[in-house]
């Protein structure tokens, strides 16, 4: 706990930093794309706070949600709506105000605007109109989940962000087959009411032994992060009825099974793949072949594509 003596030291320090941020360059006629907390109000950066209070207006995905954040931080900047259903009109309104030399901030309900959230069209049209766009980085559910998963390495830092899974079962399975063929960790979002079906399909597509990190309620009071084999995810979910509540980020780790990519397939494996390729695309043959042979889908896809490039 911080006592009064601590605050006597912290107060001047924060004031000095706040004055330093306020004295930075804040160009007029610019759109400030501001990342906001994904759950913990303490994650708002000092620079984001200064931008939100300094701007002439804030274009928000949901004005009620953003007003609660602004009230918590003592910010009285006016709001205007900029959500999925009015982005074109919102972009026009923002551009008109930027042309008059105003500063406008763009925020989503949580995290980074225009990244799996509304705002990308506003950014594009502001750029096309010749106005400056200033990104203010900050909280991100994608990066937070990756940080806690250990799924990337210094020598192989790549990952793929896939966004939300499709809601329909058939579309979701095809989507998973496509994304999980990537040889890097894949980050995806899912809603509580579809989580159980999604985990079942994910285990089938990735294989029950593929490592999976499930992160729920990141940065919030009931944050929970668990890395386990994909085939055990439903059992873990059943251990606590509360685990199906909240917001979820799933990190599917890259396939760690050791393969010899330059070696050819065994005669039996070739027979299976050749039979599949008679009726299926390279992608589908690799997916089904992986289940039949136990080999990595990526290896089978490359093998099949080299022999049937027109089918890819």
């Amino acid at each position: 706990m911080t006592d009064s003596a601590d605050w006597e030291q912290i107060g001047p320090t924060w004031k000095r930093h706040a004055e330093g941020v306020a004295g930075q360059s804040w160009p007029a006629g610019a759109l400030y794309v501001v990342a906001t907390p994904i759950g913990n109000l303490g994650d708002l950066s000092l620079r984001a706070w200064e931008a939100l209070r300094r701007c002439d207006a804030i274009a928000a995905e949901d004005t009620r949600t953003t007003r609660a954040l602004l009230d918590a931080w003592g910010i009285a900047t006016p709001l205007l709506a900029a959500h999925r259903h009015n982005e074109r009109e919102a972009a026009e309104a923002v551009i008109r105000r930027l042309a008059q030399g105003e500063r406008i901030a763009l925020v989503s309900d949580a995290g980074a605007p225009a990244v799996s959230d509304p705002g990308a069209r506003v950014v594009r049209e502001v750029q096309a109109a010749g106005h400056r766009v200033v990104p203010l980085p900050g909280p991100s559910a994608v990066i937070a989940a990756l940080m806690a998963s250990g799924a990337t390495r210094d020598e192989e830092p790549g990952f793929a962000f896939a966004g939300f899974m499709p809601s329909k079962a058939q579309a979701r399975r095809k989507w998973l087959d496509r994304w999980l063929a990537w040889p890097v960790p894949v980050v995806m979002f899912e809603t509580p009411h579809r989580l159980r079906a999604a985990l079942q399909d994910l285990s089938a597509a990735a294989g029950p032994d593929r490592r999976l990190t499930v992160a729920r309620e990141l940065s919030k009071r009931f944050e929970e992060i668990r890395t386990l084999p994909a085939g055990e995810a439903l059992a873990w979910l059943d251990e606590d009825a509360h685990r199906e509540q909240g917001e979820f980020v799933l990190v599917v780790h890259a396939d760690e099974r050791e393969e010899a990519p330059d070696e050819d397939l065994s005669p039996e494996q070739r027979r299976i793949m050749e039979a599949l390729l008679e009726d299926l695309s390279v992608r589908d043959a690799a997916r089904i072949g992986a289940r039949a042979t136990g080999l990595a889908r990526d290896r089978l896809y490359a093998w099949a594509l080299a022999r049937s490039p027109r089918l890819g």
Side-chain angles (χ1 to χ4, degrees):
M1 179 177 292
T2 304
D3 58 28
S4 57
D6 293 326
W7 281 116
E8 288 179 2
Q9 294 180 329
I10 293 171
T13 299
W14 275 100
K15 182 180 179 182
R16 184 172 69 254
H17 285 303
E19 290 172 347
V21 170
Q24 294 175 3
S25 174
W26 296 94
L31 178 70
Y32 292 80
V33 186
V34 183
T36 56
I38 60 175
N40 191 317
L41 290 176
D43 289 337
L44 187 72
S45 74
L46 187 56
R47 186 165 170 239
W49 173 78
E50 178 65 26
L52 293 177
R53 75 183 197 91
R54 177 183 289 266
C55 282
D56 297 285
I58 300 170
E61 178 183 3
D62 186 323
T63 55
R64 295 166 300 181
T65 299
T66 300
R67 177 50 62 197
L69 170 67
L70 300 184
D71 289 346
W73 281 92
I75 299 169
T77 306
L79 294 168
L80 57 94
H83 48 72
R84 295 188 194 281
H85 306 294
N86 80 335
E87 267 199 279
R88 181 175 62 83
E89 295 84 356
E92 292 173 353
V94 168
I95 290 169
R96 285 195 299 269
R97 300 184 70 155
L98 294 177
Q100 297 171 7
E102 294 189 7
R103 300 178 181 89
I104 305 295
L106 176 68
V107 302
S108 62
D109 288 350
V115 181
S116 196
D117 268 331
R121 180 169 184 172
V122 175
V123 170
R124 288 194 301 270
E125 296 196 15
V126 164
Q127 289 175 330
H131 297 288
R132 183 172 175 180
V133 175
V134 181
L136 275 68
S140 164
V142 173
I143 299 302
L146 280 169
M147 288 166 63
S149 71
T152 62
R153 296 178 292 176
D154 287 350
E155 60 272 23
E156 295 182 9
F159 67 92
F161 172 52
F164 280 95
M165 297 190 202
S167 58
K168 302 295 184 181
Q170 185 175 2
R172 180 169 60 241
R173 290 165 189 154
K174 289 182 178 179
W175 184 90
L176 284 165
D177 284 338
R178 183 173 74 252
W179 280 104
L180 296 183
W182 286 52
V184 294
V186 181
V187 185
M188 54 193 70
F189 294 157
E190 193 47 278
T191 59
H193 66 280
R194 294 201 304 258
L195 180 65
R196 186 169 291 275
L199 288 175
Q200 187 172 3
D201 288 342
L202 192 155
S203 178
D209 297 327
R210 186 88 163 258
R211 287 172 65 78
L212 169 69
T213 296
V214 183
R216 61 179 293 269
E217 295 292 86
L218 283 170
S219 83
K220 300 176 184 175
R221 179 181 179 186
F222 297 107
E223 176 183 271
E224 194 168 8
I225 302 166
R226 179 69 182 272
T227 298
L228 71 178
E232 297 177 12
L234 285 176
W236 174 79
L237 204 63
D238 289 335
E239 291 175 2
D240 186 337
H242 294 98
R243 282 184 177 154
E244 290 190 58
Q245 301 173 8
E247 298 176 349
F248 290 85
V249 183
L250 307 176
V251 181
V252 184
H253 295 226
D255 195 334
E256 296 177 351
R257 290 177 294 183
E258 292 186 2
E259 302 288 353
D262 296 330
E263 290 184 8
D264 201 359
L265 307 187
S266 70
E268 177 63 16
Q269 291 163 349
R270 286 199 303 272
R271 185 189 66 78
I272 292 172
M273 289 301 298
E274 288 167 356
L276 291 172
L277 285 167
E278 290 180 3
D279 299 307
L280 300 174
S281 69
V282 168
R283 181 178 290 108
D284 289 341
R287 173 175 56 83
I288 296 172
R291 296 177 183 175
T293 65
L295 298 178
R297 184 190 295 107
D298 294 346
R299 180 185 176 190
L300 293 177
Y301 184 88
W303 182 92
L305 190 62
R307 285 152 182 79
S308 306
R310 65 182 180 83
L311 297 177

